[in-house]
Amino acid sequence: MVLKTAILAALAASAAAFAPAPSTKASVALNAEMSKSIPFLPRPEKLDGSMAGDMGFDPMGLSEIQQDLKYARWAELKHGRISMLAITGMVVQESGFHIPGAQFTSTDPFEAVSKVGYVGNLQILLTIGVIELATISKIYGEGEPGDIGWAFGSLDNM
């Protein structure tokens, strides 16, 4: 008898899980402008359309934690350019073109770091540091994001 009652109670509970919920008419009005990229989310305050390509896409709210979105644009452009250079370097290395020297012949990118040695890696890091220090006034000053002020002759007009 107890087993039958327990089974019946379990069946009733599982059936209640699929019963329709009582409908309540609740209205939530948003006073915020909606994002053009994600129409069901409000447009972030700092993404007002003043930047190129800005359609209000920020589902994670990263624009709210940034003090200045100009710095974020600089970082995005810089990291994109570094990534493009890194992939180009890996493709060239894989194709068989190498700088003369036994330490530059590795096609495995993880092995190449250790094969070049401490001095080679230090030279790369110091070059990156010098470039960062030379362009830091443009990043935090009045410079336009992406323009580090290097002129390349006829390539500037492209």
Side-chain angles (χ1 to χ4, degrees):
M1 179 83 165
V2 175
L3 182 61
K4 288 182 183 179
T5 306
I7 291 173
L8 186 61
L11 286 173
S14 64
F18 296 103
S23 74
T24 57
K25 300 281 182 175
S27 174
V28 177
L30 293 176
N31 294 329
E33 181 183 343
M34 301 309 277
S35 171
K36 292 179 184 176
S37 62
I38 307 174
F40 55 87
L41 290 179
R43 178 186 57 81
E45 186 177 322
K46 292 181 183 175
L47 299 179
D48 55 1
S50 62
M51 293 185 286
D54 177 17
M55 300 297 283
F57 183 78
D58 189 15
M60 293 177 55
L62 296 176
S63 64
E64 300 302 321
I65 60 174
Q66 278 293 87
Q67 294 292 331
D68 183 17
L69 290 183
K70 184 178 168 185
Y71 175 77
R73 287 183 64 201
W74 267 103
E76 183 178 9
L77 288 168
K78 179 172 46 172
H79 293 139
R81 290 172 178 173
I82 290 169
S83 299
M84 288 186 278
L85 285 172
I87 292 298
T88 303
M90 290 176 70
V91 169
V92 167
Q93 188 78 3
E94 288 283 332
S95 70
F97 177 76
H98 304 288
I99 297 174
Q103 69 268 30
F104 304 117
T105 58
S106 176
T107 57
D108 179 19
F110 298 108
E111 180 188 17
V113 173
S114 62
K115 202 167 183 185
V116 169
Y118 176 75
V119 176
N121 289 317
L122 184 63
Q123 186 179 22
I124 292 169
L125 290 175
L126 285 175
T127 303
I128 292 169
V130 166
I131 292 171
E132 287 291 318
L133 287 174
T135 60
I136 197 163
S137 64
K138 290 194 172 283
I139 293 172
Y140 292 106
E142 294 297 320
E144 182 66 25
D147 181 21
I148 57 175
W150 293 354
F152 290 106
S154 62
L155 293 178
D156 290 339
N157 299 327
M158 296 181 125

